[in-house]
Amino acid sequence: MNQETINQVLHFRDERNWKQFHNPKDLAISISLEAAELLEVFQWSAEDVRCEDKMDKIREELADVLNYCILMADACGLDMDEIIREKVKKNAEKYPVEKAYGSKEKYTELKNGIID
Ligand SMILES: [Mg+2]
Protein backbone atom coordinates (compact mmCIF):
# COMPACT_ATOMS: atom_id res chain seq x y z
CA MET A 1 0.00 0.00 0.00
CA ASN A 2 1.37 3.37 -0.94
CA GLN A 3 2.46 5.22 2.23
CA GLU A 4 1.30 8.57 0.84
CA THR A 5 -2.23 7.16 0.43
CA ILE A 6 -2.17 5.73 3.96
CA ASN A 7 -0.95 9.05 5.34
CA GLN A 8 -3.73 10.89 3.50
CA VAL A 9 -6.40 8.64 5.04
CA LEU A 10 -4.89 8.98 8.53
CA HIS A 11 -4.54 12.75 8.10
CA PHE A 12 -8.23 13.00 7.15
CA ARG A 13 -9.08 11.09 10.35
CA ASP A 14 -6.75 13.09 12.57
CA GLU A 15 -7.89 16.48 11.26
CA ARG A 16 -11.34 15.58 12.57
CA ASN A 17 -10.18 14.02 15.85
CA TRP A 18 -11.92 10.77 14.94
CA LYS A 19 -9.20 8.37 16.09
CA GLN A 20 -10.90 8.25 19.49
CA PHE A 21 -13.86 6.45 17.83
CA HIS A 22 -11.80 4.04 15.75
CA ASN A 23 -11.55 0.90 17.88
CA PRO A 24 -11.04 -2.44 16.11
CA LYS A 25 -14.62 -3.61 16.74
CA ASP A 26 -16.28 -0.57 15.21
CA LEU A 27 -13.82 -0.52 12.32
CA ALA A 28 -14.51 -4.20 11.60
CA ILE A 29 -18.24 -3.39 11.62
CA SER A 30 -17.60 -0.46 9.27
CA ILE A 31 -15.60 -2.63 6.85
CA SER A 32 -18.46 -5.11 6.75
CA LEU A 33 -21.09 -2.40 6.27
CA GLU A 34 -19.16 -0.80 3.42
CA ALA A 35 -18.61 -4.23 1.84
CA ALA A 36 -22.38 -4.68 2.01
CA GLU A 37 -22.80 -1.33 0.23
CA LEU A 38 -20.45 -2.60 -2.47
CA LEU A 39 -22.57 -5.73 -2.75
CA GLU A 40 -25.71 -3.60 -2.91
CA VAL A 41 -24.49 -2.23 -6.24
CA PHE A 42 -25.31 -5.63 -7.71
CA GLN A 43 -28.59 -6.22 -5.86
CA TRP A 44 -31.44 -7.21 -8.19
CA SER A 45 -29.13 -7.00 -11.13
CA ALA A 46 -29.74 -9.52 -13.85
CA GLU A 47 -26.30 -8.85 -15.29
CA ASP A 48 -23.99 -9.44 -12.35
CA VAL A 49 -20.98 -10.09 -14.53
CA ARG A 50 -21.28 -6.77 -16.33
CA CYS A 51 -20.42 -3.68 -14.34
CA GLU A 52 -19.45 -0.95 -16.79
CA ASP A 53 -22.52 1.09 -15.87
CA LYS A 54 -21.85 0.61 -12.15
CA MET A 55 -18.21 1.71 -12.03
CA ASP A 56 -18.79 5.06 -10.30
CA LYS A 57 -20.61 3.40 -7.41
CA ILE A 58 -18.14 0.49 -7.32
CA ARG A 59 -15.21 2.94 -7.10
CA GLU A 60 -16.88 4.79 -4.25
CA GLU A 61 -17.81 1.75 -2.18
CA LEU A 62 -14.53 -0.06 -2.79
CA ALA A 63 -12.70 3.07 -1.64
CA ASP A 64 -14.86 3.12 1.51
CA VAL A 65 -13.88 -0.50 2.24
CA LEU A 66 -10.20 0.20 1.64
CA ASN A 67 -10.23 3.37 3.74
CA TYR A 68 -11.66 1.45 6.68
CA CYS A 69 -9.09 -1.30 6.11
CA ILE A 70 -6.32 1.29 6.37
CA LEU A 71 -7.87 2.66 9.58
CA MET A 72 -8.26 -0.87 11.01
CA ALA A 73 -4.65 -1.75 10.24
CA ASP A 74 -3.52 1.46 11.92
CA ALA A 75 -5.70 0.84 14.99
CA CYS A 76 -4.23 -2.67 15.31
CA GLY A 77 -0.65 -1.63 14.57
CA LEU A 78 -0.52 -3.83 11.47
CA ASP A 79 1.47 -3.22 8.30
CA MET A 80 -0.90 -3.70 5.37
CA ASP A 81 1.79 -4.82 2.93
CA GLU A 82 3.14 -7.32 5.44
CA ILE A 83 -0.23 -8.90 6.27
CA ILE A 84 -1.21 -9.08 2.61
CA ARG A 85 2.09 -10.76 1.67
CA GLU A 86 1.68 -13.22 4.57
CA LYS A 87 -1.82 -14.08 3.40
CA VAL A 88 -0.74 -14.54 -0.23
CA LYS A 89 1.95 -16.94 1.02
CA LYS A 90 -0.59 -18.91 3.09
CA ASN A 91 -3.00 -19.01 0.15
CA ALA A 92 -0.22 -20.21 -2.14
CA GLU A 93 0.35 -23.12 0.26
CA LYS A 94 -3.38 -23.89 0.43
CA TYR A 95 -3.82 -23.50 -3.31
CA PRO A 96 -0.71 -24.87 -5.04
CA VAL A 97 -0.74 -24.03 -8.74
CA GLU A 98 -0.52 -27.68 -9.77
CA LYS A 99 -3.79 -28.40 -7.92
CA ALA A 100 -5.66 -25.11 -8.14
CA TYR A 101 -4.93 -24.00 -11.70
CA GLY A 102 -8.25 -23.22 -13.38
CA SER A 103 -10.25 -24.65 -10.47
CA LYS A 104 -12.79 -22.83 -8.33
CA GLU A 105 -12.86 -25.55 -5.69
CA LYS A 106 -12.14 -24.73 -2.06
CA TYR A 107 -8.67 -25.90 -1.00
CA THR A 108 -10.17 -28.76 1.01
CA GLU A 109 -11.77 -30.08 -2.16
CA LEU A 110 -8.81 -29.79 -4.52
CA LYS A 111 -7.77 -32.96 -6.29
CA ASN A 112 -4.46 -33.70 -7.89
CA GLY A 113 -5.03 -31.39 -10.83
CA ILE A 114 -2.93 -31.42 -13.96
CA ILE A 115 -1.89 -28.31 -15.84
CA ASP A 116 -2.27 -28.77 -19.56
MG1 LIG B 1 -20.17 3.59 1.34
Side-chain angles (χ1 to χ4, degrees), residues 61-84:
E61 299 307 340
L62 184 57
D64 284 342
V65 171
L66 294 169
N67 282 339
Y68 275 121
C69 288
I70 290 170
L71 295 167
M72 176 94 178
D74 183 71
C76 295
L78 298 172
D79 180 297
M80 293 194 66
D81 289 315
E82 183 181 324
I83 64 175
I84 290 169

Side-chain angles (χ1 to χ4, degrees), residues 12-31:
F12 178 92
R13 174 201 66 193
D14 292 341
E15 274 187 320
R16 289 156 182 79
N17 192 25
W18 286 350
K19 187 173 183 177
Q20 61 183 312
F21 308 118
H22 288 179
N23 61 74
K25 175 197 63 102
D26 287 322
L27 290 168
I29 290 170
S30 297
I31 291 169

Side-chain angles (χ1 to χ4, degrees), residues 1-61:
M1 176 80 43
N2 181 292
Q3 192 59 48
E4 188 179 332
T5 303
I6 292 172
N7 290 344
Q8 199 170 352
V9 172
L10 299 180
H11 180 71
F12 178 92
R13 174 201 66 193
D14 292 341
E15 274 187 320
R16 289 156 182 79
N17 192 25
W18 286 350
K19 187 173 183 177
Q20 61 183 312
F21 308 118
H22 288 179
N23 61 74
K25 175 197 63 102
D26 287 322
L27 290 168
I29 290 170
S30 297
I31 291 169
S32 184
L33 292 173
E34 294 298 344
E37 289 181 11
L38 178 60
L39 190 57
E40 190 178 25
V41 174
F42 299 96
Q43 186 181 29
W44 308 122
S45 170
E47 299 179 6
D48 289 344
V49 293
R50 293 189 63 237
C51 54
E52 293 86 0
D53 59 334
K54 303 174 178 74
M55 286 310 296
D56 287 346
K57 195 65 180 164
I58 290 170
R59 285 173 59 102
E60 187 175 327
E61 299 307 340

Side-chain angles (χ1 to χ4, degrees), residues 73-102:
D74 183 71
C76 295
L78 298 172
D79 180 297
M80 293 194 66
D81 289 315
E82 183 181 324
I83 64 175
I84 290 169
R85 283 193 302 266
E86 285 173 1
K87 190 63 180 181
V88 169
K89 186 178 176 193
K90 279 185 186 176
N91 286 342
E93 291 167 3
K94 284 170 37 177
Y95 294 93
V97 173
E98 62 273 13
K99 289 185 179 180
Y101 186 84

